[in-house]
Amino acid sequence: MNSILSDRIINMEESATLAMAKKARELKTQGVDIISLSLGEPDFKTPKFIQEAAKEAIDSGNYFSYPPVAGYQDLREAIAKKLRDQNGIADAKAENIVVSTGAKHSIANTFMCLLNEGDEVVIFSPYWVSYAEIIKLAGGVPVLIEGNLENNFKASAQQLEDAITDKTKAVIYSSPCNPTGSVFSKEELEAIAEVVLKHEQLMVIADEIYELINFAGGNHSIASFPGMFERTITVNGFSKGFAMTGWRVGYICAPLEISKAVEKMQGQFTSGNTGIAQRAAFAGITGPLDDSEKMAEAYLRRRGLVLDLLREIPGIKTHVPEGAFYFFPDVTAFFGKAAKGKTIENADDLCIYLLEEAHVSLVTGSAFGAPDCVRLSYAASDEQLKEALARIKKALAALA
Protein backbone atom coordinates (compact mmCIF):
# COMPACT_ATOMS: atom_id res chain seq x y z
CA MET A 1 0.00 0.00 0.00
CA ASN A 2 1.35 3.42 -0.92
CA SER A 3 1.86 5.90 1.89
CA ILE A 4 -0.71 8.61 2.35
CA LEU A 5 2.13 11.00 3.17
CA SER A 6 3.42 13.54 0.66
CA ASP A 7 6.68 13.00 -1.19
CA ARG A 8 8.04 16.19 0.35
CA ILE A 9 7.78 14.89 3.91
CA ILE A 10 8.92 11.37 3.01
CA ASN A 11 12.01 12.75 1.29
CA MET A 12 12.83 15.26 4.02
CA GLU A 13 15.72 14.35 6.32
CA GLU A 14 15.07 14.54 10.06
CA SER A 15 17.09 17.20 11.87
CA ALA A 16 20.20 15.33 13.04
CA THR A 17 20.68 17.59 16.07
CA LEU A 18 17.13 17.00 17.25
CA ALA A 19 17.33 13.29 16.44
CA MET A 20 20.46 12.85 18.55
CA ALA A 21 18.94 14.87 21.38
CA LYS A 22 15.89 12.61 21.21
CA LYS A 23 18.05 9.47 21.49
CA ALA A 24 19.88 10.99 24.45
CA ARG A 25 16.59 11.77 26.21
CA GLU A 26 15.35 8.22 25.62
CA LEU A 27 18.46 6.80 27.28
CA LYS A 28 18.10 9.25 30.15
CA THR A 29 14.55 8.05 30.79
CA GLN A 30 16.01 4.54 31.08
CA GLY A 31 18.28 5.77 33.87
CA VAL A 32 21.47 6.14 31.78
CA ASP A 33 23.69 9.06 32.84
CA ILE A 34 23.93 10.86 29.50
CA ILE A 35 25.89 14.08 29.03
CA SER A 36 24.32 15.85 26.08
CA LEU A 37 26.64 18.02 23.99
CA SER A 38 24.45 17.76 20.91
CA LEU A 39 21.98 20.65 21.00
CA GLY A 40 22.92 24.24 20.20
CA GLU A 41 21.26 25.60 23.31
CA PRO A 42 22.72 27.97 25.92
CA ASP A 43 22.80 26.45 29.39
CA PHE A 44 22.08 29.86 30.93
CA LYS A 45 18.72 31.22 32.02
CA THR A 46 17.05 34.08 30.18
CA PRO A 47 18.20 37.33 31.89
CA LYS A 48 15.94 38.42 34.74
CA PHE A 49 14.99 41.79 33.25
CA ILE A 50 13.67 40.01 30.14
CA GLN A 51 11.68 37.60 32.28
CA GLU A 52 10.24 40.55 34.21
CA ALA A 53 9.20 42.28 30.99
CA ALA A 54 7.21 39.20 30.01
CA LYS A 55 5.51 39.11 33.42
CA GLU A 56 4.61 42.78 33.13
CA ALA A 57 3.16 42.18 29.67
CA ILE A 58 0.96 39.41 31.06
CA ASP A 59 -0.13 41.52 34.01
CA SER A 60 -1.00 44.44 31.75
CA GLY A 61 -3.58 42.38 29.89
CA ASN A 62 -2.70 44.21 26.67
CA TYR A 63 -1.04 41.41 24.71
CA PHE A 64 -3.57 38.61 24.56
CA SER A 65 -4.95 39.46 21.10
CA TYR A 66 -3.53 38.49 17.72
CA PRO A 67 -0.37 40.56 17.22
CA PRO A 68 0.45 42.20 13.87
CA VAL A 69 1.74 39.61 11.39
CA ALA A 70 5.15 41.29 11.00
CA GLY A 71 5.54 42.04 14.71
CA TYR A 72 4.72 44.95 16.99
CA GLN A 73 5.74 48.28 15.53
CA ASP A 74 7.92 49.31 18.48
CA LEU A 75 9.82 46.01 18.36
CA ARG A 76 10.41 46.37 14.62
CA GLU A 77 11.61 49.94 15.12
CA ALA A 78 13.93 48.82 17.92
CA ILE A 79 15.38 46.03 15.76
CA ALA A 80 15.93 48.45 12.89
CA LYS A 81 17.67 50.91 15.23
CA LYS A 82 19.87 48.11 16.57
CA LEU A 83 20.85 47.14 13.03
CA ARG A 84 21.69 50.75 12.15
CA ASP A 85 23.63 51.48 15.35
CA GLN A 86 25.37 48.15 15.99
CA ASN A 87 25.63 46.55 12.55
CA GLY A 88 26.08 49.59 10.34
CA ILE A 89 23.05 48.71 8.20
CA ALA A 90 22.14 52.34 7.58
CA ASP A 91 19.04 51.70 5.47
CA ALA A 92 17.29 49.44 8.01
CA LYS A 93 13.78 50.65 8.86
CA ALA A 94 10.82 49.06 10.62
CA GLU A 95 9.23 48.28 7.26
CA ASN A 96 12.21 46.05 6.43
CA ILE A 97 11.74 43.92 9.56
CA VAL A 98 9.56 40.82 9.95
CA VAL A 99 9.50 39.10 13.35
CA SER A 100 8.95 35.34 13.18
CA THR A 101 8.90 32.26 15.40
CA GLY A 102 12.66 31.86 15.59
CA ALA A 103 15.42 32.32 13.02
CA LYS A 104 14.61 28.92 11.49
CA HIS A 105 11.11 30.19 10.69
CA SER A 106 12.64 33.35 9.24
CA ILE A 107 14.86 31.31 6.92
CA ALA A 108 11.97 29.08 5.85
CA ASN A 109 9.80 32.11 5.09
CA THR A 110 12.60 33.64 3.06
CA PHE A 111 13.23 30.63 0.84
CA MET A 112 9.52 30.02 0.32
CA CYS A 113 9.30 33.59 -0.99
CA LEU A 114 12.47 33.53 -3.12
CA LEU A 115 12.65 30.16 -4.81
CA ASN A 116 10.97 28.67 -7.84
CA GLU A 117 11.29 25.00 -8.75
CA GLY A 118 14.87 24.24 -9.77
CA ASP A 119 16.45 27.46 -8.49
CA GLU A 120 19.89 26.85 -7.02
CA VAL A 121 21.13 28.10 -3.66
CA VAL A 122 24.85 28.08 -2.89
CA ILE A 123 25.50 27.00 0.70
CA PHE A 124 28.80 27.68 2.42
CA SER A 125 29.59 24.28 3.92
CA PRO A 126 29.84 23.06 6.67
CA TYR A 127 26.38 24.47 7.24
CA TRP A 128 23.55 24.40 9.76
CA VAL A 129 21.54 21.22 9.30
CA SER A 130 18.23 22.77 8.24
CA TYR A 131 19.46 24.94 5.35
CA ALA A 132 19.46 22.21 2.71
CA GLU A 133 16.16 20.65 3.75
CA ILE A 134 14.37 24.02 3.81
CA ILE A 135 15.76 24.85 0.36
CA LYS A 136 14.57 21.51 -1.04
CA LEU A 137 11.15 21.94 0.57
CA ALA A 138 10.85 25.30 -1.21
CA GLY A 139 11.64 23.62 -4.55
CA GLY A 140 15.27 24.71 -4.67
CA VAL A 141 18.51 22.82 -5.25
CA PRO A 142 21.30 23.09 -2.64
CA VAL A 143 24.79 23.56 -4.09
CA LEU A 144 27.59 23.13 -1.56
CA ILE A 145 30.94 24.91 -1.57
CA GLU A 146 33.18 23.38 1.05
CA GLY A 147 35.68 24.72 3.51
CA ASN A 148 38.00 22.38 5.36
CA LEU A 149 39.97 22.15 8.58
CA GLU A 150 43.05 23.72 6.98
CA ASN A 151 41.20 26.97 6.08
CA ASN A 152 39.08 27.04 9.26
CA PHE A 153 36.14 25.60 7.32
CA LYS A 154 35.63 28.79 5.32
CA ALA A 155 34.91 28.37 1.62
CA SER A 156 36.26 31.24 -0.48
CA ALA A 157 34.73 33.93 -2.68
CA GLN A 158 36.40 32.24 -5.65
CA GLN A 159 34.59 28.99 -4.83
CA LEU A 160 31.37 30.97 -4.76
CA GLU A 161 32.12 32.48 -8.17
CA ASP A 162 32.86 29.05 -9.60
CA ALA A 163 29.58 27.62 -8.26
CA ILE A 164 27.27 30.27 -9.72
CA THR A 165 25.20 29.27 -12.75
CA ASP A 166 22.29 30.83 -14.58
CA LYS A 167 20.03 28.98 -12.12
CA THR A 168 21.61 30.43 -8.96
CA LYS A 169 19.13 32.53 -7.02
CA ALA A 170 20.72 32.92 -3.59
CA VAL A 171 23.70 32.31 -1.32
CA ILE A 172 23.51 31.45 2.39
CA TYR A 173 26.13 31.36 5.15
CA SER A 174 26.30 31.76 8.91
CA SER A 175 28.93 33.81 10.74
CA PRO A 176 29.78 32.97 13.46
CA CYS A 177 29.12 29.59 11.97
CA ASN A 178 27.09 26.70 13.25
CA PRO A 179 28.64 24.05 13.33
CA THR A 180 32.26 25.21 13.09
CA GLY A 181 32.42 28.43 15.11
CA SER A 182 34.31 30.07 12.24
CA VAL A 183 33.86 33.79 11.62
CA PHE A 184 34.20 35.54 8.26
CA SER A 185 36.48 38.57 8.44
CA LYS A 186 35.51 41.92 6.93
CA GLU A 187 37.87 41.26 4.03
CA GLU A 188 36.38 37.82 3.35
CA LEU A 189 32.85 39.23 3.37
CA GLU A 190 33.89 42.08 1.08
CA ALA A 191 35.19 39.51 -1.39
CA ILE A 192 31.89 37.61 -1.20
CA ALA A 193 29.96 40.86 -1.72
CA GLU A 194 32.06 41.66 -4.77
CA VAL A 195 31.06 38.35 -6.35
CA VAL A 196 27.38 38.82 -5.50
CA LEU A 197 27.26 42.32 -6.98
CA LYS A 198 28.50 40.97 -10.32
CA HIS A 199 25.42 38.78 -10.65
CA GLU A 200 22.09 40.55 -11.05
CA GLN A 201 19.29 39.47 -8.67
CA LEU A 202 21.55 37.11 -6.70
CA MET A 203 20.54 37.40 -3.04
CA VAL A 204 22.52 36.71 0.13
CA ILE A 205 20.96 35.23 3.25
CA ALA A 206 23.31 36.19 6.10
CA ASP A 207 22.59 34.17 9.24
CA GLU A 208 23.95 36.22 12.15
CA ILE A 209 22.19 34.45 15.02
CA TYR A 210 25.47 33.94 16.94
CA GLU A 211 26.71 37.52 16.60
CA LEU A 212 26.86 38.12 20.38
CA ILE A 213 29.11 35.07 20.83
CA ASN A 214 32.07 36.24 18.80
CA PHE A 215 35.68 36.04 19.96
CA ALA A 216 37.20 37.41 16.73
CA GLY A 217 37.08 41.07 17.67
CA GLY A 218 33.87 42.31 16.07
CA ASN A 219 30.97 41.45 13.82
CA HIS A 220 30.61 42.51 10.22
CA SER A 221 27.23 42.50 8.48
CA ILE A 222 27.43 42.10 4.73
CA ALA A 223 24.26 44.21 4.36
CA SER A 224 26.27 47.22 5.59
CA PHE A 225 28.62 47.12 2.58
CA PRO A 226 28.04 49.46 -0.40
CA GLY A 227 25.31 48.15 -2.70
CA MET A 228 24.49 45.16 -0.49
CA PHE A 229 21.41 46.27 1.45
CA GLU A 230 19.17 45.59 -1.55
CA ARG A 231 20.86 42.21 -2.09
CA THR A 232 20.81 40.88 1.49
CA ILE A 233 18.36 39.24 3.86
CA THR A 234 19.89 39.48 7.34
CA VAL A 235 18.62 36.79 9.72
CA ASN A 236 18.96 37.11 13.48
CA GLY A 237 17.10 36.42 16.69
CA PHE A 238 17.25 36.12 20.46
CA SER A 239 17.88 32.42 21.06
CA LYS A 240 21.65 32.34 21.40
CA GLY A 241 22.88 35.73 22.60
CA PHE A 242 20.01 36.24 25.06
CA ALA A 243 19.52 32.57 26.08
CA MET A 244 15.92 32.69 24.79
CA THR A 245 15.70 29.46 22.78
CA GLY A 246 12.26 28.52 24.11
CA TRP A 247 10.79 31.98 23.53
CA ARG A 248 11.04 31.47 19.75
CA VAL A 249 11.72 34.97 18.45
CA GLY A 250 13.69 35.56 15.25
CA TYR A 251 13.62 38.20 12.54
CA ILE A 252 14.77 39.25 9.12
CA CYS A 253 15.86 42.58 7.75
CA ALA A 254 15.29 42.61 4.01
CA PRO A 255 14.60 44.89 1.05
CA LEU A 256 10.98 46.05 1.13
CA GLU A 257 9.78 43.77 -1.66
CA ILE A 258 11.06 40.74 0.24
CA SER A 259 9.92 41.84 3.71
CA LYS A 260 6.40 42.40 2.35
CA ALA A 261 6.46 38.98 0.68
CA VAL A 262 7.60 37.31 3.91
CA GLU A 263 4.84 39.11 5.82
CA LYS A 264 2.34 37.82 3.25
CA MET A 265 3.69 34.27 3.56
CA GLN A 266 3.67 34.39 7.35
CA GLY A 267 0.12 35.70 7.34
CA GLN A 268 -1.05 32.48 5.71
CA PHE A 269 0.98 30.09 7.87
CA THR A 270 1.45 31.30 11.44
CA SER A 271 0.41 34.98 11.62
CA GLY A 272 2.31 37.08 14.16
CA ASN A 273 4.67 35.74 16.78
CA THR A 274 3.46 35.38 20.38
CA GLY A 275 2.75 38.77 21.93
CA ILE A 276 4.35 38.00 25.32
CA ALA A 277 7.52 36.68 23.65
CA GLN A 278 7.72 39.87 21.58
CA ARG A 279 7.55 42.02 24.73
CA ALA A 280 10.39 39.98 26.19
CA ALA A 281 12.37 40.44 22.98
CA PHE A 282 11.74 44.19 23.07
CA ALA A 283 13.22 44.32 26.56
CA GLY A 284 16.24 42.35 25.38
CA ILE A 285 17.02 44.43 22.33
CA THR A 286 16.55 47.77 24.11
CA GLY A 287 18.17 46.74 27.39
CA PRO A 288 21.76 46.35 28.59
CA LEU A 289 23.98 43.63 27.15
CA ASP A 290 25.71 42.88 30.46
CA ASP A 291 24.20 39.38 30.75
CA SER A 292 24.98 38.57 27.12
CA GLU A 293 28.57 39.70 27.58
CA LYS A 294 28.95 37.57 30.71
CA MET A 295 27.64 34.55 28.80
CA ALA A 296 30.10 35.20 25.98
CA GLU A 297 32.95 35.44 28.50
CA ALA A 298 31.91 32.08 29.97
CA TYR A 299 31.84 30.50 26.50
CA LEU A 300 35.30 31.86 25.75
CA ARG A 301 36.66 30.35 28.98
CA ARG A 302 34.96 27.04 28.22
CA ARG A 303 36.42 27.09 24.72
CA GLY A 304 39.88 27.15 26.26
CA LEU A 305 39.00 24.33 28.65
CA VAL A 306 37.64 22.08 25.91
CA LEU A 307 40.46 22.92 23.50
CA ASP A 308 43.04 21.77 26.05
CA LEU A 309 41.11 18.55 26.70
CA LEU A 310 40.63 17.79 23.00
CA ARG A 311 44.34 18.26 22.38
CA GLU A 312 45.02 15.53 24.94
CA ILE A 313 43.09 12.96 22.86
CA PRO A 314 45.31 11.19 20.28
CA GLY A 315 43.75 11.25 16.81
CA ILE A 316 41.54 14.29 17.32
CA LYS A 317 42.29 17.19 14.96
CA THR A 318 40.63 20.55 15.54
CA HIS A 319 40.85 24.23 14.67
CA VAL A 320 40.18 27.00 17.20
CA PRO A 321 36.62 28.29 16.74
CA GLU A 322 36.24 32.07 16.77
CA GLY A 323 32.60 32.23 17.85
CA ALA A 324 29.39 30.37 18.75
CA PHE A 325 29.87 27.48 21.21
CA TYR A 326 30.96 24.50 19.13
CA PHE A 327 34.02 22.48 18.27
CA PHE A 328 34.03 20.60 14.98
CA PRO A 329 36.94 18.16 15.15
CA ASP A 330 38.09 15.85 12.37
CA VAL A 331 37.71 12.25 13.59
CA THR A 332 38.90 10.29 10.55
CA ALA A 333 41.72 8.76 12.61
CA PHE A 334 39.12 6.48 14.20
CA PHE A 335 37.51 5.25 10.99
CA GLY A 336 38.15 1.54 10.46
CA LYS A 337 38.83 0.92 14.14
CA ALA A 338 36.65 -1.30 16.31
CA ALA A 339 35.68 -2.16 19.88
CA LYS A 340 33.30 -4.78 21.29
CA GLY A 341 32.66 -6.08 17.78
CA LYS A 342 31.60 -2.69 16.45
CA THR A 343 33.60 -1.16 13.59
CA ILE A 344 33.58 2.61 13.14
CA GLU A 345 33.02 3.24 9.44
CA ASN A 346 32.16 6.94 9.62
CA ALA A 347 31.24 9.85 11.89
CA ASP A 348 27.68 8.55 12.25
CA ASP A 349 29.02 5.29 13.69
CA LEU A 350 31.37 7.17 15.99
CA CYS A 351 28.56 9.28 17.43
CA ILE A 352 26.46 6.18 18.12
CA TYR A 353 29.48 4.45 19.67
CA LEU A 354 30.18 7.41 21.97
CA LEU A 355 26.52 7.64 22.96
CA GLU A 356 26.34 3.93 23.82
CA GLU A 357 29.81 3.46 25.32
CA ALA A 358 30.75 6.87 26.73
CA HIS A 359 27.19 8.06 27.31
CA VAL A 360 28.03 11.36 25.62
CA SER A 361 25.78 12.78 22.92
CA LEU A 362 27.44 14.52 19.93
CA VAL A 363 26.20 15.15 16.38
CA THR A 364 27.66 13.62 13.22
CA GLY A 365 29.32 16.02 10.81
CA SER A 366 27.55 14.40 7.87
CA ALA A 367 24.44 16.34 8.92
CA PHE A 368 26.39 19.55 8.35
CA GLY A 369 27.97 18.57 5.04
CA ALA A 370 31.27 17.41 6.59
CA PRO A 371 31.27 13.62 7.07
CA ASP A 372 34.80 13.55 8.50
CA CYS A 373 33.82 15.56 11.58
CA VAL A 374 31.58 15.62 14.63
CA ARG A 375 30.03 18.61 16.38
CA LEU A 376 30.53 19.10 20.09
CA SER A 377 28.64 21.86 21.91
CA TYR A 378 30.39 23.42 24.90
CA ALA A 379 27.23 25.12 26.13
CA ALA A 380 27.48 23.07 29.32
CA SER A 381 28.99 23.42 32.78
CA ASP A 382 32.72 23.00 33.39
CA GLU A 383 32.04 19.83 35.37
CA GLN A 384 29.97 18.30 32.58
CA LEU A 385 32.56 19.23 29.96
CA LYS A 386 35.43 17.74 31.96
CA GLU A 387 33.51 14.53 32.59
CA ALA A 388 32.33 14.27 28.98
CA LEU A 389 35.82 14.73 27.53
CA ALA A 390 37.23 12.18 29.98
CA ARG A 391 34.61 9.65 28.87
CA ILE A 392 35.25 10.40 25.19
CA LYS A 393 38.99 10.01 25.65
CA LYS A 394 38.54 6.64 27.36
CA ALA A 395 36.09 5.33 24.77
CA LEU A 396 38.28 6.41 21.83
CA ALA A 397 41.34 4.81 23.43
CA ALA A 398 39.44 1.50 23.47
CA LEU A 399 39.16 1.52 19.66
CA ALA A 400 41.82 -0.54 17.90
Side-chain angles (χ1 to χ4, degrees), residues 280-295:
F282 180 81
I285 206 160
T286 58
L289 290 175
D290 299 19
D291 293 282
S292 298
E293 290 169 355
K294 289 176 183 176
M295 286 187 272

Side-chain angles (χ1 to χ4, degrees), residues 233-352:
I233 298 100
T234 301
V235 177
N236 210 325
F238 296 82
S239 293
K240 312 302 182 179
F242 294 91
M244 292 177 67
T245 51
W247 297 80
R248 308 309 303 136
V249 188
Y251 60 86
I252 62 161
C253 176
L256 188 59
E257 181 182 14
I258 294 173
S259 66
K260 290 301 181 186
V262 167
E263 181 179 2
K264 179 180 177 182
M265 171 69 65
Q266 186 160 293
Q268 292 289 10
F269 274 77
T270 61
S271 296
N273 190 19
T274 307
I276 305 305
Q278 288 194 57
R279 301 329 297 163
F282 180 81
I285 206 160
T286 58
L289 290 175
D290 299 19
D291 293 282
S292 298
E293 290 169 355
K294 289 176 183 176
M295 286 187 272
E297 289 170 3
Y299 292 133
L300 179 59
R301 181 180 51 75
R302 292 173 183 177
R303 183 190 72 168
L305 169 66
V306 174
L307 180 62
D308 289 342
L309 294 172
L310 284 173
R311 284 174 169 170
E312 293 176 2
I313 302 176
I316 289 284
K317 294 186 290 184
T318 186
H319 77 307
V320 181
E322 296 180 306
F325 38 67
Y326 307 108
F327 276 90
F328 202 61
D330 181 302
V331 292
T332 52
F334 305 100
F335 295 176
K337 294 187 175 183
K340 297 184 178 180
K342 300 175 183 176
T343 301
I344 306 301
E345 301 291 351
N346 49 45
D348 300 49
D349 290 346
L350 188 65
C351 284
I352 295 299

